[in-house]
Amino acid sequence: MKWFDILGKPWTWMSIASDPIGLKNSPISLVKSGQKLPSENSRSPGGMPRQQQKERSPSTPSTPHTQPKEPPMNTHTPLFKTILFFIPLSLIIFFTGCSKTPDPLSKTGFYFDTVITITLYDKPDESILDGCFSLAETYENRLSKTKENSDVWNINHSGGKPTAVSEDTLALLRACLFYAELSDGKADPTIGPVTELWDFSGSSPAVLPAQTDLENALNHVGYEGISIEGDMVRLADPDAEIDLGFIAKGYIADRMKEYLASQGVASATINLGGNVLAIGSRPDGSPFRIGIQKPFAPSGDIALVLPVSDLSVVSSGTYERYFELDGTIYHHILDTKTGYPVQNNLFQVTILSRSSMDGDALSTTCFLLGLEEGMKLVESMEDTEALFFTSDGAIHASSGLEDFVP
């Protein structure tokens, strides 16, 4: 037995366990959504609504900007086959070693304001890991809003003038605009002026922004003010500010997956601060198992484990970053209408998808939409499943999980 610690957000742990404890010991209930949901045949490949899905070439990032595809003849297939529940025994991830396969090789670093870990299972080559971390540095310098001379920094400090950016930034901005339109502005990449008024780091005393400051910041939120022409991006409002935090890590994970595939890697995990992307399966062919933290429970208290192969698992939750003041919890997922944390009785949304970028964006978008509208959106998408954790302790599953609902 060999043990490996996968670092990331406290709520996400990757467990490669062979003997989880049974369902009867789990304090969490998994339930169906109580609403009538669209047919599986209304979904489209790639995780986008069929009427908005566009053709993509293999080298094109996952953005919905070409013609719709024809509906598939077959019905939707669930993304994974079983769900296992267990009482968490520790914070350690365990893997049963096998003499016929090489030992996994991991590397950990700090990028995107979080701890990231890449683990190679079938091709433990230090130079390949170094290539991944070189990509992490490149994308941080290109997409961070706080890095001077990054694409995003340059846009935000352009005074409303057109700014030349990279293809990566263009792809992300187009995806952001898609999700902003899809959510009627609830997910908005120009939320930057509002997020800057809140401090969820815990490094300073908890304090609420002044109402006048919030109202002023909200005047500068509006994705409609982003214009793209060629490789030039312009903000119609010079005081607007782009923040790609709800989608960038997923995009970067997808690009890392492409790099690893080009190096012949077929079994690996990418953990970008809790955004977990599994490449292939374990070397023995069994799925990876991703443990999902129970909201507001002690770190490592796992609600359930998702066995996945070649899938992304991304969660957004109220307990990731928050503070408590006068008995009220204020979390980091903000309402673009009020500037305050959204209140809709959700604790967390977990998205399973082929594209980590889509999963990253959807976890936040569905949280902002709420259980009913968020579930409808997930049910309209192919190769996408979701778990909605509500404040009453229940987990509401999308239809791809119906066979596993007790």
Side-chain angles (χ1 to χ4, degrees), residues 246-282:
F246 80 104
I247 195 171
K249 285 194 296 181
Y251 179 85
I252 295 166
D254 288 335
R255 303 290 77 77
M256 285 185 175
K257 178 180 178 179
E258 290 176 353
Y259 163 74
L260 291 175
S262 74
Q263 301 301 305
V265 174
S267 178
T269 56
I270 299 168
N271 188 338
L272 304 186
N275 287 43
V276 178
L277 179 56
I279 299 175
S281 304
R282 289 170 48 180

Side-chain angles (χ1 to χ4, degrees), residues 53-382:
Q53 176 69 20
K54 308 260 183 154
E55 296 286 356
R56 304 175 186 152
S57 66
S59 61
T60 302
S62 177
T63 52
H65 294 284
T66 49
Q67 293 184 354
K69 292 187 176 183
E70 293 299 321
M73 296 302 294
N74 60 319
T75 57
H76 172 65
T77 301
L79 287 177
F80 51 90
K81 307 229 180 206
T82 58
I83 291 184
L84 305 174
F85 294 76
F86 72 106
I87 298 292
L89 301 177
S90 69
L91 302 184
I92 302 295
I93 297 154
F94 41 105
F95 174 81
T96 303
C98 177
S99 60
K100 295 182 180 180
T101 59
D103 290 342
L105 181 65
S106 294
K107 183 174 180 177
T108 297
F110 192 84
Y111 294 88
F112 326 122
D113 293 324
T114 191
V115 175
I116 74 171
T117 299
I118 316 296
T119 303
L120 308 179
Y121 290 92
D122 66 334
K123 199 171 182 180
D125 185 329
E126 288 276 5
S127 65
I128 295 177
L129 286 176
D130 291 342
C132 276
F133 280 79
S134 177
L135 282 175
E137 183 172 1
T138 295
Y139 282 118
E140 182 165 48
N141 290 333
R142 184 172 295 164
L143 302 174
S144 170
K145 72 172 186 175
T146 60
K147 289 276 188 178
E148 189 170 349
N149 292 323
S150 74
D151 282 356
V152 176
W153 191 94
N154 288 339
I155 295 170
N156 291 342
H157 292 81
S158 68
K161 296 178 181 179
T163 304
V165 299
S166 66
E167 287 294 329
D168 293 303
T169 304
L170 289 172
L172 270 171
L173 285 174
R174 291 188 179 108
C176 284
L177 293 176
F178 168 77
Y179 282 104
E181 289 185 24
L182 194 66
S183 64
D184 195 24
K186 290 183 172 63
D188 193 317
T190 63
I191 190 70
V194 177
T195 59
E196 286 193 349
L197 298 176
W198 293 86
D199 182 4
F200 300 102
S201 66
S203 60
S204 57
V207 61
L208 299 180
Q211 185 62 35
T212 54
D213 290 341
L214 276 177
E215 291 172 357
N216 180 63
L218 287 169
N219 289 331
H220 304 294
V221 175
Y223 69 92
E224 301 90 345
I226 300 175
S227 61
I228 300 174
E229 185 172 347
D231 66 348
M232 306 296 286
V233 177
R234 178 179 176 272
L235 293 175
D237 180 353
D239 294 320
E241 182 178 315
I242 290 173
D243 186 340
L244 302 178
F246 80 104
I247 195 171
K249 285 194 296 181
Y251 179 85
I252 295 166
D254 288 335
R255 303 290 77 77
M256 285 185 175
K257 178 180 178 179
E258 290 176 353
Y259 163 74
L260 291 175
S262 74
Q263 301 301 305
V265 174
S267 178
T269 56
I270 299 168
N271 188 338
L272 304 186
N275 287 43
V276 178
L277 179 56
I279 299 175
S281 304
R282 289 170 48 180
D284 64 2
S286 61
F288 293 107
R289 290 181 170 85
I290 312 298
I292 307 299
Q293 168 75 25
K294 189 192 306 180
F296 292 105
S299 180
D301 193 350
I302 305 300
L304 54 85
V305 174
L306 305 177
V308 300
S309 297
D310 217 29
L311 289 175
S312 166
V313 181
V314 183
S315 294
S316 290
T318 59
Y319 57 93
E320 296 173 75
R321 289 186 291 134
Y322 72 94
F323 63 79
E324 187 172 350
L325 184 65
D326 298 329
T328 300
I329 289 177
Y330 298 88
H331 60 82
H332 72 290
I333 305 176
L334 303 177
D335 189 324
T336 55
K337 300 301 182 185
T338 67
Y340 277 85
V342 65
Q343 299 294 328
N344 56 14
N345 295 319
L346 284 177
F347 277 171
Q348 174 178 299
V349 176
T350 297
I351 300 291
L352 281 82
S353 58
R354 300 293 180 189
S355 161
S356 190
M357 184 193 75
D358 290 337
D360 204 2
L362 280 169
S363 65
T364 301
T365 300
C366 289
F367 193 104
L368 290 164
L369 289 172
L371 174 58
E372 183 176 351
E373 292 302 314
M375 187 69 80
K376 286 181 180 178
L377 176 58
V378 169
E379 292 293 350
S380 74
M381 294 182 167
E382 185 65 62

